[in-house]
C-alpha cells in the first residue's frame, strides 16, 4: 500500500509553523523577530532552539532594509549560499560564497588560518553594507571580528552568526554578541549550522510565510 | 585585541571528535557505525543526537562498498549535494541533485505532489545501486518508498533518510525503518537535516577522520 502523506507544500509550511507556535516559547521576540525565530526553529526541527536564539536591537529591520536596498549576502559555505531561496530576495541580491576561490588555499597558508577564515578576505570589496551569513565555521566568525577591529575595514549592515559545533562555536558567537560590530543574530551555544542560518536569511528576505 | 582561536583545521576536528566521544553515549554502535555517528553528531552540535541515530544491519559496509564501486550519490537538495566533500569520495562518484531540473515543476503538478518528491522521478536511470541521501524533505522520502513498492523500480544500495521537521519527518523515517527497501540509516524523530545527512555521506565515503 502506498504511503499517504501531505503533498501540499504550502499546507506543510502552515502546519509546521502552527506546531512551532503552539510548542515553542516565543514570548521574548518582538513582531519582526518572531517569524525569523520560527523559521530558524523549523529548520532545526527543535522547538527548544527558541531559548538559544538572540537578536540584537534593530537586527531584523536593519538586515531587511539592507536586502531591500540591494545588499549582497556573504556566506561562509556553499551549503548556506545554495540554501537561500532566490525568489524570496527583494532585489535579486547577489549571494556570494568565496570559499571555492582559487586564491584561498594559498592565502590560508600565508595567514596561518583555515580556508574558511581566509575566504573572508575575498569579501572586502563587497563587505560594506552587506548581510553576512556565517553558518558553519567558528574560525570564519572569529576572522570577521578580527577584520572589523580595523576601523578601515568596510562595515557590514548586519551579521548572522550561527556556526555550529564543539570547538570555537560557543566562543565565537559570544564574541560577536559582545563586540557587536553590527546588528546581529546568534544561536548561543553549540547549536547552529547552515540550515538554521539559511532559514534566518530566508525569513529576513521576505515577511511572507 | 584580536581574538585568538584554534586555526588548525585538523586540530579542530580532533578536539571536536574527542569531545563527542567523551560526552556522547555511543555504546550501541559497532566499529563501523561509531565514526559515522560521531560525524553526524559533530554536524548537529548535539551529543544527544546519538540516541536518535539508527543504522540497519550492514548499512555502513554496504553503502561504503557501493561508493567504492562507483555508485552515484542521489541527494534531495542542493544543500546536501554541495556539502559532500569531493576529495573524500573513493571513486570520483557522481553527486546528483535533480531538484533544479526544469521538468520538475510540471511533473510535481502532474503527480500532485511537492517538487522535492517529483524530483525523485528523475533519479530512476541512476537509482540502481546508488546511495540515496535525503536530508530535507519528508515528501521525498515518502515518494521514494512508494516508488520502491513497485518491484520493477531499480533498487538503491543504501538509503540515508534524515529529513527534518514538524510535518512528516517522524512518519517518513519510521516508514523507511519499517519498509526497509535497502540498508538504511535514520535519525528518529524531528531532528535531521542536510548537515547531518552530509556528515553521514562524508563519513561513509572515507574511514579517515
Amino acid at each position: 500500500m502506498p504511503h499517504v502523506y501531505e503533498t501540499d507544500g504550502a499546507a506543510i509550511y502552515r502546519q509546521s509553523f502552527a506546531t512551532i507556535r503552539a510548542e515553542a516559547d516565543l514570548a521574548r521576540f518582538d513582531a519582526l523577530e518572531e517569524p525569523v525565530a520560527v523559521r530558524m526553529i523549523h529548520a532545526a526541527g527543535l522547538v527548544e532552539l527558541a531559548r538559544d536564539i538572540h537578536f540584537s536591537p534593530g537586527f531584523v529591520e536593519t538586515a531587511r532594509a539592507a536586502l531591500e536596498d540591494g545588499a549582497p549576502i556573504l556566506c561562509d559555505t556553499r551549503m548556506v549560499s545554495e540554501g537561500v531561496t532566490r525568489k524570496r530576495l527583494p532585489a535579486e541580491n547577489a549571494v556570494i560564497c568565496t570559499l571555492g576561490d582559487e586564491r584561498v588555499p594559498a592565502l590560508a597558508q600565508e595567514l596561518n588560518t583555515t580556508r574558511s577564515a581566509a575566504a573572508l578576505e575575498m569579501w572586502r570589496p563587497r563587505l560594506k553594507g552587506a548581510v553576512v551569513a556565517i553558518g558553519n565555521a567558528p574560525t570564519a566568525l572569529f576572522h570577521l571580528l578580527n577584520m572589523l577591529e580595523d576601523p578601515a575595514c568596510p562595515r557590514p549592515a548586519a551579521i548572522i552568526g550561527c556556526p555550529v559545533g564543539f570547538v570555537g562555536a560557543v566562543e565565537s558567537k559570544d564574541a560577536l554578541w559582545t563586540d557587536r560590530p553590527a546588528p546581529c543574530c546568534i544561536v548561543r551555544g553549540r547549536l547552529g549550522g547552515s540550515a538554521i542560518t539559511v532559514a534566518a536569511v530566508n525569513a529576513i528576505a521576505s515577511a511572507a510565510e
Side-chain angles (χ1 to χ4, degrees), chain A:
Chain A
M1 283 285 291
H3 299 279
V4 176
Y5 54 96
E6 180 60 73
T7 57
D8 175 355
I12 292 170
Y13 269 106
R14 268 197 312 277
Q15 288 176 38
S16 298
F17 292 166
T19 300
I20 293 165
R21 290 188 163 106
E23 294 186 18
D25 181 0
L26 303 168
R28 278 196 298 117
F29 303 114
D30 71 24
L32 283 174
E33 294 165 348
E34 193 260 10
V36 181
V38 165
R39 201 171 267 263
M40 293 169 79
I41 292 166
H42 178 248
L46 187 70
V47 294
E48 291 79 8
L49 190 76
R51 185 191 53 199
D52 301 327
I53 300 171
H54 297 271
F55 302 101
S56 77
F59 164 78
V60 176
E61 60 190 297
T62 304
R64 181 168 289 159
L67 293 182
E68 286 168 354
D69 205 38
I73 302 166
L74 304 180
C75 310
D76 66 332
T77 67
R78 295 270 302 164
M79 284 185 74
V80 174
S81 60
E82 283 296 320
V84 173
T85 303
R86 299 314 196 258
K87 68 172 186 243
R88 293 181 68 86
L89 298 176
E92 297 182 2
N93 308 257
V95 184
I96 295 166
C97 173
T98 53
L99 186 54
D101 188 292
E102 58 184 14
R103 295 165 292 181
V104 166
L107 194 60
Q109 209 153 29
E110 183 189 324
L111 299 175
N112 192 28
T113 191
T114 63
R115 286 183 295 122
S116 296
L120 271 61
E121 292 294 328
M122 307 287 146
W123 287 4
R124 290 183 183 270
R126 309 295 298 269
L127 193 54
K128 187 173 184 314
V131 172
V132 166
I134 296 180
N136 187 65
T139 58
L141 183 50
F142 272 131
H143 192 79
L144 177 68
L145 294 176
N146 285 349
M147 283 167 63
L148 291 170
E149 290 199 351
D150 175 4
C153 181
R155 319 310 284 176
I159 302 171
I160 301 165
C162 297
V164 59
F166 299 87
V167 174
V170 171
E171 297 82 359
S172 64
K173 291 179 286 191
D174 284 350
L176 169 60
W177 194 251
T178 305
D179 288 9
R180 212 173 295 179
C184 63
C185 160
I186 64 167
V187 170
R188 188 160 275 161
R190 290 174 170 177
L191 298 177
S194 46
I196 291 170
T197 303
V198 162
V201 173
N202 285 336
I204 292 159
S206 167
E209 297 211 317

